[in-house]
Amino acid sequence: MDRKDEIILQQMDLIRSMTERNLRSMDADFWGTPLMEKKVTEKAEKPAEKPAAQAEKPEQKEEIPPKEKIEDLLAELDGYVGMDAIKEEVRSLINMVQVYKLRRENDLPTTDMSLHMVFSGNPGTGKTTVARIMARIYHSLDILSRGQLVEVDRSGLVAGYVGQTALKTQKVIEKAMGGVLFIDEAYALNGKSENDFGQEAIDTILKAMEDHRDDLVVIVAGYTELMDRFIHSNPGLESRFNRFLMFEDYTPEQMVAIFKMQCKKGCYVLAEGTEELVRDFISEESADDSFGNARGVRNLFEHILVAQNNRLAKMEQVTREDLMQILPDDVLRARGKLDN
């Protein structure tokens, strides 16, 4: 290996480490998932195996996060691209809770206040992100004691044998106490076979909603038509879920704004002429129904970074500016319009 090859390898290692560090620094992004970290859900969790000789340590209680200012949370919500109807609904919900508390403080009668919600819409429209901020808002308003979000789907609730589903679901509920239980693709709990235990999970959740109405909020989410059918399939669900939030698909312009937001978080700069190519790329790809809204934008963003990395790896010297800049050629290569 000659000196030039050594320099190229060193540059590639530097580029890779800096790119990964930039992506990780974005933290939980607009779609609720860190770009470079594996999404943690109930279905993915596995208990770590302990060495036989290792002594059991007393379980430490999680610290309750401090309450955030409602003004700061609303400012964060307003910073999200689009979702105007959702933002308005969230503000109305906050107003309702605040007035409810004032009536109680003044010894005035109050009606039952249901805070459980149905989020409907296509993937990548911000449902998990809004669920997470709702948990923090409820904590700020003293509705929930902890304000965490526990995300789960059917596989995290339903077991394969009689009696196990209730136990599995109860463990998830215990983890969600004091916060929000977010059930994605909740309609999948409606099994069609006699041996399906999804109904057992539903019954366990409905009982918990009744028993812990003062410190547990449940949000169910999924495709609009399927969620409508799911809620109306069970009188217990109908009576407890009466607040519906519809998440619309993003427009191409909104997806460009999301892309630019990701660039800002990752300390990337679009060179002259690059934004127009990104807009064309998004318009072309989003014409496919399976694109996935903001998740699709994230995928395009990562493809473009791969093209940028490949270009930088061929350079003998890479500056800080080079690491930050995305060129038109990077977008064209990600689209397959130029050879690598």
Side-chain angles (χ1 to χ4, degrees):
M1 181 184 295
D2 59 26
R3 180 59 181 162
K4 183 176 180 181
D5 289 337
E6 289 180 2
I7 292 173
I8 290 174
L9 286 174
Q10 289 172 358
Q11 295 289 357
M12 289 179 69
D13 286 339
L14 175 64
I15 293 162
R16 186 181 302 109
S17 63
M18 292 191 71
T19 301
E20 289 180 356
R21 186 167 67 248
N22 277 347
L23 287 171
R24 280 194 295 269
S25 71
M26 293 181 192
D27 196 11
D29 65 359
F30 184 77
W31 308 274
T33 306
L35 296 184
M36 295 298 295
E37 296 177 11
K38 184 177 180 182
K39 180 179 179 183
V40 180
T41 60
E42 289 293 329
K43 62 183 177 183
E45 288 182 358
K46 291 183 180 179
E49 293 184 9
K50 297 180 181 178
Q54 183 177 333
E56 289 287 337
K57 294 181 179 179
E59 193 172 316
Q60 293 182 341
K61 288 186 177 181
E62 286 187 37
E63 289 187 11
I64 297 175
K67 294 174 186 174
E68 301 168 80
K69 292 181 179 179
I70 199 70
E71 296 83 6
D72 294 340
L73 291 169
L74 287 174
E76 181 180 332
L77 180 66
D78 287 337
Y80 297 153
V81 175
M83 298 194 294
D84 292 339
I86 300 298
K87 293 171 183 176
E88 185 177 343
E89 182 67 26
V90 170
R91 287 180 182 274
S92 295
L93 187 59
I94 291 171
N95 293 339
M96 181 190 75
V97 171
Q98 290 175 327
V99 171
Y100 177 89
K101 289 174 64 179
L102 286 172
R103 288 185 63 88
R104 293 193 68 174
E105 289 170 6
N106 286 275
D107 296 322
L108 292 170
T110 57
T111 57
D112 286 340
M113 182 175 59
S114 176
L115 300 176
H116 309 296
M117 290 179 281
V118 179
F119 286 4
S120 60
N122 291 325
T125 48
K127 295 187 292 294
T128 306
T129 299
V130 173
R132 185 172 286 109
I133 200 168
M134 286 308 307
R136 292 158 59 198
I137 287 172
Y138 285 154
H139 180 45
S140 174
L141 294 172
D142 291 318
I143 297 297
L144 295 173
S145 61
R146 294 171 61 202
Q148 81 283 15
L149 180 86
V150 173
E151 183 182 356
V152 72
D153 61 8
R154 176 190 164 92
S155 66
L157 298 170
V158 179
Y161 302 96
V162 175
Q164 287 188 334
T165 291
L167 294 174
K168 190 173 185 179
T169 302
Q170 190 58 43
K171 285 184 179 180
V172 173
I173 291 168
E174 288 171 4
K175 187 176 179 181
M177 285 300 301
V180 170
L181 174 60
F182 180 79
I183 307 173
D184 198 16
E185 298 180 349
Y187 45 78
L189 292 173
N190 263 349
K192 296 180 180 179
S193 67
E194 292 183 8
N195 295 324
D196 185 87
F197 303 111
Q199 186 58 48
E200 188 177 350
I202 293 173
D203 293 340
T204 304
I205 292 165
L206 290 175
K207 185 176 187 306
M209 291 167 69
E210 183 65 28
D211 294 346
H212 306 287
R213 61 173 65 187
D214 293 332
D215 207 20
L216 176 68
V217 169
V218 179
I219 298 176
V220 291
Y223 290 103
T224 304
E225 291 183 9
L226 294 174
M227 287 306 300
D228 188 62
R229 198 179 310 159
F230 170 68
I231 294 299
H232 296 301
S233 69
N234 184 311
L237 292 171
E238 280 186 318
S239 65
R240 288 171 178 82
F241 291 98
N242 57 12
R243 192 170 298 279
F244 294 77
L245 273 66
M246 173 65 190
F247 289 72
E248 301 287 348
D249 288 339
Y250 291 108
T251 66
E253 282 302 316
Q254 288 172 335
M255 287 189 275
V256 171
I258 291 170
F259 184 93
K260 290 168 70 176
M261 183 185 295
Q262 287 304 110
C263 288
K264 184 177 180 181
K265 287 181 180 179
C267 296
Y268 290 98
V269 177
L270 298 177
E272 186 177 351
T274 306
E275 184 175 333
E276 290 77 9
L277 291 173
V278 168
R279 182 177 285 103
D280 291 343
F281 195 9
I282 288 173
S283 294
E284 181 181 275
E285 295 295 319
S286 63
D288 189 326
D289 291 339
S290 64
F291 180 68
N293 287 283
R295 292 179 189 172
V297 175
R298 181 184 66 193
N299 291 335
L300 297 191
F301 180 70
E302 291 178 342
H303 289 323
I304 291 171
L305 290 191
V306 169
Q308 186 225 33
N309 290 348
N310 290 338
R311 171 175 58 81
L312 294 177
K314 296 174 183 177
M315 298 168 58
E316 289 192 12
Q317 295 294 329
V318 178
T319 66
R320 175 182 172 85
E321 289 69 27
D322 291 329
L323 290 167
M324 294 173 63
Q325 195 167 58
I326 296 175
L327 301 180
D329 282 3
D330 298 329
V331 182
L332 292 173
R333 285 192 174 91
R335 293 178 69 181
K337 303 286 186 181
L338 284 180
D339 294 331
N340 289 320

